[in-house]
Structure formats: C-alpha cells, structure tokens
Amino acid sequence: MAREWQQTRFPEFVLPDAVYYQSVWAVRDLYRMKNRIIELDEEISSGKCPPGVVSDVTKGYPFHKPTEKAAVEKMLLENRVDAIDGALRTVPEIYRSPVMESIINRKNPTGSLSKIWKIWKQRFLFNVAKNLSLI
C-alpha cells in the first residue's frame, strides 16, 4: 500500500499530518456512512427501533432511548457526508473522479489526465478538514 503524501507546492493548503490523515480516512469512509444513513432511515421510518423503557418511579427520561440514539447517529453521519460532498463540489467536475479514486482506491489515475488532479486532491482534503471543523 502506498503512503499518502501531501502536495507542498501550495503551503496555504498543507495540513498537519494528523488532520490530513483524518480527512483521508473520513473520505474513505464515505460510502459506509451513506449506507448507514439509508439503514437508519429505514429503521426509523419502519418503526423497527424498539421503544424505550418507561418507569413511573424515576424522574426524567429512561436511560435506554433507541429512537433518539438512531436519530442522533443519523444526524451526525449526514453532517459528515454533507461536509465531504460540499468539499467535493469545490473540485472541477473533470477532476472529481480521479481525486476520489486516488483517495478511496489508493490508485493514481492513468491516461491523458494531467497531474493537476493532485493539486485538486490537496485542496479537496483541505476543504474536507475545514468543513469537518478539524482546522
């Protein structure tokens, strides 16, 4: 497996290593997050979430709140997916596929594409970090 490297030609887009790798792994997790959102949507809308425990003795809400837990998880995942999608919209359409391919599948694009996709990859990951409030 090849190591991920940042472009250093544009210092304003260079991230600390920890932030850079968090951004990379957030993008690599994108498809799993989208699938989980679909699962949670189906779970919530079909009523498959088990009801919480109701007690007359204790005050406040019960400790086990599965519907609330599913809704919060769905909201957090949607925010992460929206942050990544928003960063992807800043990349010109011709470079979106090569950038995602290089991050998710760890393969450099081949063919007639110039190496400008690397610059867009760096900017994309910078915007992912910014949108996820990592910087």
Side-chain angles (χ1 to χ4, degrees):
M1 171 171 47
R3 186 180 184 283
E4 283 285 337
W5 296 95
Q6 292 189 67
Q7 296 288 313
T8 56
R9 189 166 38 180
F10 300 103
E12 64 270 17
F13 294 114
V14 175
L15 299 167
D17 283 345
V19 174
Y20 179 79
Y21 288 113
Q22 285 181 58
S23 299
V24 167
W25 283 104
V27 173
R28 286 182 182 159
D29 197 31
L30 182 64
Y31 295 117
R32 184 205 60 86
M33 290 189 290
K34 286 182 177 181
N35 289 336
R36 183 65 181 144
I37 289 171
I38 293 168
E39 288 173 12
L40 288 169
D41 245 354
E42 291 171 357
E43 216 175 272
I44 292 168
S45 64
S46 70
K48 289 183 183 176
C49 289
V53 178
V54 178
S55 173
D56 291 336
V57 179
T58 60
K59 293 182 181 178
Y61 291 103
F63 292 108
H64 180 67
K65 302 179 241 181
T67 306
E68 181 182 341
K69 181 181 172 196
V72 168
E73 181 183 357
K74 181 178 177 247
M75 181 201 63
L76 291 172
L77 288 172
E78 285 175 340
N79 286 343
R80 289 180 67 85
V81 168
D82 289 345
I84 295 168
D85 286 342
L88 189 59
R89 284 191 294 274
T90 65
V91 176
E93 195 153 339
I94 191 168
Y95 296 111
R96 289 179 189 172
S97 179
V99 165
M100 293 300 283
E101 176 84 12
S102 74
I103 295 171
I104 294 173
N105 297 330
R106 302 173 191 157
K107 294 181 182 175
N108 290 341
T110 57
S112 63
L113 247 132
S114 67
K115 296 191 179 206
I116 295 176
W117 68 268
K118 290 181 181 181
I119 296 168
W120 284 109
K121 176 183 175 182
Q122 183 70 29
R123 290 180 182 194
F124 167 66
L125 289 172
F126 178 84
N127 286 323
V128 168
K130 193 166 72 172
N131 291 351
L132 290 175
S133 301
L134 299 175
I135 54 171

